[in-house]
Amino acid sequence: MGFVYVARSAGLIKWGSDVGLGKLLFKLGVADDSAEAAVKALNETAHCGETDWTLVHKQEAEGASEPEAIERLGRKEKMVDPALYPRLRGAVGIFRIKLANVENHLVVKQALAGQAPSAAKPKPADIGQYLIHNVLR
């Protein structure tokens, strides 16, 4: 049983803000055993030069592969090209998220559930759910 997970790093967010990528940078990945172990491995290997990765959201996904998940999410959101930024060192799966897309997703989700749309700013967990939803749908 595999897991699709979304992680983020405060150091990578600060770097992204400094270089003009914005603060909404998230790592999408697929883990064979557990998402927590995958995030721990990101920290141990200093993925993208950062050791402060935290798990934002995870969901079980039968038979998911990381290249397929990245390709599916790439249809909706823009992946940061690791060849353009030496700091990323060839790391794939780092996505720059448009907040408007997440807000629209939440409004539609609330409307379909029969709830009144809220104007609250999406939290990282909401962004994680949005990313995984786009991978698994």
Side-chain angles (χ1 to χ4, degrees), residues 74-95:
R75 295 179 198 155
K76 188 80 170 173
E77 294 293 338
K78 181 155 175 72
M79 186 175 86
V80 178
D81 188 356
L84 296 177
Y85 299 97
R87 169 102 183 235
L88 299 182
R89 298 185 187 119
V92 295
I94 305 293
F95 285 87

Side-chain angles (χ1 to χ4, degrees), residues 6-115:
V6 176
R8 73 181 198 160
S9 163
L12 189 69
I13 290 170
K14 182 179 180 331
W15 169 80
S17 180
D18 291 344
V19 298
L21 288 174
K23 294 181 178 183
L24 295 175
L25 295 175
F26 291 85
K27 161 79 173 131
L28 176 79
V30 176
D32 293 331
D33 48 358
S34 74
E36 290 82 5
V39 172
K40 184 178 179 184
L42 290 176
N43 286 324
E44 289 173 353
T45 60
H47 190 71
C48 297
E50 299 297 335
T51 58
D52 62 345
W53 291 95
T54 58
L55 183 64
V56 174
H57 193 70
K58 68 178 180 177
Q59 186 170 338
E60 287 186 20
E62 188 106 11
S65 70
E66 190 159 326
E68 179 184 313
I70 290 170
E71 189 267 327
R72 292 188 80 174
L73 183 58
R75 295 179 198 155
K76 188 80 170 173
E77 294 293 338
K78 181 155 175 72
M79 186 175 86
V80 178
D81 188 356
L84 296 177
Y85 299 97
R87 169 102 183 235
L88 299 182
R89 298 185 187 119
V92 295
I94 305 293
F95 285 87
R96 178 182 179 188
I97 308 304
K98 292 182 182 175
L99 194 58
N101 291 351
V102 179
E103 290 170 342
N104 289 341
H105 170 77
L106 291 174
V107 167
V108 169
K109 184 177 172 182
Q110 290 168 348
L112 290 174
Q115 302 171 350

